[in-house]
Amino acid sequence: MIGAYAAVGFASSTGSKVIWSTNPVTIKFTATTGSSSGSATDSFKCAPPVTNVVLQTSVNSANIKLTVAPANQATCGPSYDSETLTVMCQTLTAALCKGHYTGTVTVHRSSPYGNTIPPSLTVNIVVN
């Protein structure tokens, strides 16, 4: 037989995974005129451990801002690291902020543009 070829596949990466103590997290608060916010805490670790991670947030509305502190960690794993998640209204009128939103916190290696370490944290946001 001439030219016999075997299919060569690449194994998916067996890199680190993020382990969240709670996923998803829900943050509820009441909107008031001026400034409104709510917060929650969660913890995460990486298995196997990695160094130098950056947490990046996103939310599905320009009316809401989601932040995480601290946003940088020198190590991820083997112990859990605590994070404070804060949600803020980005509008001057409370009525414009009311609703249900979804945010995410994604862990990246080295920078916000580095490889993502899955899974991301889902943040359910309820503003009354």
Side-chain angles (χ1 to χ4, degrees):
M1 180 185 280
I2 300 174
Y5 295 95
V8 176
F10 293 96
S12 63
S13 172
T14 57
S16 288
K17 301 289 184 210
V18 177
I19 301 166
W20 297 96
S21 60
T22 304
N23 192 1
V25 169
T26 300
I27 300 175
K28 297 180 183 181
F29 63 96
T30 301
T32 58
T33 301
S35 92
S36 299
S37 65
S39 64
T41 58
D42 198 5
S43 300
F44 76 103
K45 66 180 179 178
C46 297
V50 297
T51 58
N52 196 21
V53 296
V54 177
L55 285 74
Q56 189 172 36
T57 62
S58 64
V59 70
N60 66 343
S61 172
N63 291 346
I64 298 291
K65 181 177 181 178
L66 172 63
T67 60
V68 62
N72 299 302
Q73 298 281 353
T75 60
C76 179
S79 301
Y80 278 96
D81 291 311
S82 183
E83 297 290 327
T84 300
L85 308 163
T86 303
V87 178
M88 295 166 278
C89 287
Q90 295 289 99
T91 65
L92 296 176
T93 308
L96 294 176
C97 210
K98 293 180 180 180
H100 294 252
Y101 308 95
T102 302
T104 58
V105 178
T106 305
V107 179
H108 296 269
R109 292 178 198 249
S110 303
S111 78
Y113 308 104
N115 292 337
T116 300
I117 305 171
S120 295
L121 172 66
T122 299
V123 183
N124 297 313
I125 303 162
V126 180
V127 185
N128 297 313

